[in-house]
Amino acid sequence: MSNSSLFLVVFFTALFLVGAALLIARLIAPRSWNLQKGQTYECGIPTRGTSWMQFRVGYYLFAILYLVFDVETVLLFPWATIMKDLGPGGLFCVLFFLVVLTLGLAYAWKKGALKWK
């Protein structure tokens, strides 16, 4: 079996299984419709006013920076497990990665993105 035919078999099998799972879930899922399902839910407290209000961009920027640096830090764990196998080349690659990470943090800090105003 060639690689392309194997890919097609796996692709169509995955497509069939996902479609079957969605169909079965739609058929056997309990349904109930009422007005409360359409309302905004916030910690069990009834909302006051409109739920479509604007947030400052600082919240989003802070969250995105946290996610970026968190994910990049998580990428260091696989490297730490195979550090001895990589040798000096792997060490320099990870040091370059850390330098880029540190420069990004310094840039965000300089721009004031980490200040909670």
Side-chain angles (χ1 to χ4, degrees), residues 61 65 69 99-114:
L61 187 59
L65 282 172
F69 289 111
V99 165
V100 170
L101 184 66
T102 306
L103 289 175
L105 180 63
Y107 177 77
W109 197 337
K110 185 176 187 248
K111 287 291 189 179
L114 300 176

Side-chain angles (χ1 to χ4, degrees), residues 11-29:
F11 178 75
F12 286 118
T13 302
L15 198 63
F16 172 74
L17 289 175
V18 168
L22 289 173
L23 180 67
I24 290 170
R26 184 159 181 100
L27 290 176
I28 66 173

Side-chain angles (χ1 to χ4, degrees), residues 63-78:
I64 288 172
L65 282 172
Y66 173 77
L67 286 175
V68 165
F69 289 111
D70 186 46
V71 168
E72 288 178 350
T73 304
V74 167
L75 289 175
L76 292 175
F77 286 108

Side-chain angles (χ1 to χ4, degrees), residues 31-100:
R31 292 184 192 98
S32 68
W33 306 100
N34 56 25
L35 287 176
Q36 282 187 332
K37 281 192 166 192
Q39 293 179 352
T40 306
Y41 179 78
E42 185 69 33
C43 301
I45 301 170
T47 56
R48 289 179 284 167
T50 179
S51 59
W52 293 100
M53 64 178 142
Q54 292 182 346
F55 291 97
R56 289 188 5 208
V57 73
Y59 297 125
Y60 297 116
L61 187 59
F62 199 82
I64 288 172
L65 282 172
Y66 173 77
L67 286 175
V68 165
F69 289 111
D70 186 46
V71 168
E72 288 178 350
T73 304
V74 167
L75 289 175
L76 292 175
F77 286 108
W79 168 79
T81 59
I82 60 167
M83 182 177 65
K84 289 182 182 179
D85 299 335
L86 294 177
L91 178 66
F92 289 126
C93 286
V94 170
L95 287 177
F96 178 73
F97 176 77
L98 288 174
V99 165
V100 170

